[in-house]
Amino acid sequence: MIVMKFGGTSVQDSSAILHVASIAEQFGSEQLLIVSSACSGMTTDLLKLSADSVHISDEERSLRIDGIEDRHNSIARSLGIEKQVGVRIHELCDGLRKTCEGVALLGECTPRSSDAIASFGELLSTVIIQGLLQLHHTAIWYDAREIIKTDSAYRRAHVDFDLTQSKALEKLKPLFDSHRIIVTQGFIGSDSEGNTTTLGRGGSDFSAALLGAALHADDIIIWTDVSGIASADPRIIPEARFMETMSFDEARMLSYFGAKVLHPETIIPALSKNIPVHVRNTFKSEDKGTTITQHGDKDANGFRSVIGKHNVTCLNISGIPGKDYHTNTQELLHQITQLSGQQPLIHARVGESETYVYDAPLHNLSQCINKEHNLMNITLEEYSLISAIGPNLRSEHSSKAVGKFYETVLQADSRPVFISGIQPQTVSALVAPDCAIDILKALHHHCT
């Protein structure tokens, strides 16, 4: 059995959904669990609708929901399945209408209402996908909220994996006895009271990994609009290549440092069951894509990808007066988190200083330092964060490549801040923003 997740661009219109059907056809008699996002842009529209329902007129609210219904009906019409799915689309939009009316009457959009409204994007897209697949396959639609069980932390719910696995084995697995394809939703779940919850950023990928792990899938395929994970950002380095294999840890580090193909949390359930995760292109299904496994390419040495985060801020703390250095530091960090909403991306000791790197512009953090903190030895500097990632950069075989990293950075920037020891798969440096792109391009030449 294979779990396939399709992102928003992969189901954005009738042409894209035809690619989904074509891919299902390519897998012959293989049992498929299809996990889909909402049509591209729909979740954003729904979240805006949920917030605006507090103050817009009944007429405006109705027009917006009519537009959502029309968009999905138009897709179904283009696919020739409007008769099969039109009633279900209308019923879902009627449910959306009632939920939004409840928000208007209450005069407040609670997190619970926001999640309920956001869920309609996935519910609608999967009705259309199942309707199309049902023409040629034994395909059934299933509500993911019956399976993905969470707490009540709306907008970013935490999954109860044991209960989710139990529900998946009890309810989903038996359906494969009579259906080749099950179509369900990513991103959404439900709490113990049956209220709809959402899993936050990257939720659909996470849903696919959760269900794949629960059902002991052979493979999990993330279908997106790129042909895998690249050795660098192709927008900056056009000659960047897609890697055929990589380890779970490499993928996590790439995501952590800014790659947008996968969310870091996505691969954790797959890692727990040693299930390969493939990243492939919906619109170029013949491309191999990238396969992520527990150990990746065991024979690879050095770094295989480079990535940059721009406009990061480096906070250095040293020589704070007083006896309790740790307490003073923690109080300052807590204040920054409270005021800016930012947690440090990296914490390292550089020389005699404690260094904290934040993924935020300098002016955002400078506003968090008050006069009292001026008595401390604190500096704030803006940098770009450059990272090279490989299977094990601490091994003897990779020492030459790590040396090249230092050498290349120093050739372009006379005063970088090198940060090591974050993870065995990563070596990083804080560099002047105006030379970051040149460093990335030079480093990419040394990728193996």
Side-chain angles (χ1 to χ4, degrees), residues 177-218:
D177 293 338
S178 53
H179 300 86
R180 182 172 87 84
I181 301 174
I182 301 173
V183 180
T184 193
Q185 306 78 37
F187 182 59
I188 66 175
S190 67
D191 64 13
S192 60
E193 300 297 319
N195 298 311
T196 298
T197 58
T198 62
L199 307 184
R201 177 177 164 258
S204 289
D205 289 350
F206 192 33
S207 297
L210 283 166
L211 292 171
L215 294 170
H216 308 285
D218 297 307

Side-chain angles (χ1 to χ4, degrees), residues 293-351:
T293 60
Q294 180 96 33
H295 302 292
D297 186 348
K298 294 180 181 179
D299 299 324
N301 293 309
F303 53 85
R304 304 200 302 143
S305 58
V306 292
I307 191 165
K309 263 188 178 290
H310 306 287
N311 298 317
V312 303
T313 299
C314 179
L315 168 69
N316 284 299
I317 309 174
S318 63
I320 298 176
K323 296 180 180 179
D324 198 338
Y325 176 93
H326 177 74
T327 299
N328 289 334
T329 301
Q330 293 306 308
E331 287 178 356
L332 172 59
L333 296 175
H334 178 70
Q335 178 165 313
I336 291 173
T337 300
Q338 291 293 103
L339 294 176
S340 70
Q342 293 285 334
Q343 294 281 355
L345 182 69
I346 296 171
H347 169 221
R349 188 159 185 83
V350 179

Side-chain angles (χ1 to χ4, degrees), residues 377-443:
N377 190 357
I378 295 171
T379 60
L380 284 173
E381 295 182 80
E382 193 164 69
Y383 286 98
S384 288
L385 176 65
I386 304 296
S387 301
I389 296 167
N392 188 356
L393 297 183
R394 293 183 191 170
S395 71
E396 182 180 344
H397 297 296
S398 295
S399 59
K400 184 176 179 181
V402 174
K404 279 290 183 185
F405 177 88
Y406 290 119
E407 178 185 327
T408 302
V409 171
L410 285 167
Q411 284 175 351
D413 187 345
S414 60
R415 297 183 62 191
V417 179
F418 291 107
I419 300 174
S420 59
I422 303 167
Q423 289 288 338
Q425 302 80 22
T426 309
V427 58
S428 300
L430 294 165
V431 304
D434 59 358
C435 61
I437 301 299
D438 289 338
I439 291 173
L440 279 172
K441 290 179 178 178
L443 284 172

